[in-house]
Amino acid sequence: MAHRIIGRKKELEQLSSALNSDKAELVAVYGRRRIGKTYLVKEFSTSVR
């Protein structure tokens, strides 16, 4: 079953931009608990493999 991330286009674009940057980048993902921070990063990492 394929999962889709809904409503996180801006965050995914920011992660993609940092990954494709020519400079060294540090990305901090923070926010309230149980809003999907880990899920967002895991899904992003599998999508760029």
Side-chain angles (χ1 to χ4, degrees), residues 3 9 11 15 19 22-23 31 35 37 39:
H3 296 259
K9 184 177 179 181
E11 289 85 351
L15 289 172
L19 180 66
D22 292 335
K23 304 182 297 182
I35 60 169
K37 298 176 297 290
Y39 182 77

Side-chain angles (χ1 to χ4, degrees), residues 1-2 4-6 8 11-12 15 22 25-26 28 30 38-44:
M1 172 190 263
R4 285 189 22 207
I5 297 178
I6 299 171
R8 297 288 185 198
E11 289 85 351
L12 291 170
L15 289 172
D22 292 335
E25 299 279 348
L26 171 69
Y30 66 95
T38 302
Y39 182 77
L40 174 72
V41 173
K42 283 182 177 181
E43 288 297 308
F44 176 76

Side-chain angles (χ1 to χ4, degrees), residues 10-21 27 44 48:
K10 179 180 174 184
E11 289 85 351
L12 291 170
E13 288 174 352
Q14 290 173 328
L15 289 172
S16 183
S17 175
L19 180 66
N20 295 318
S21 174
V27 176
F44 176 76
V48 296

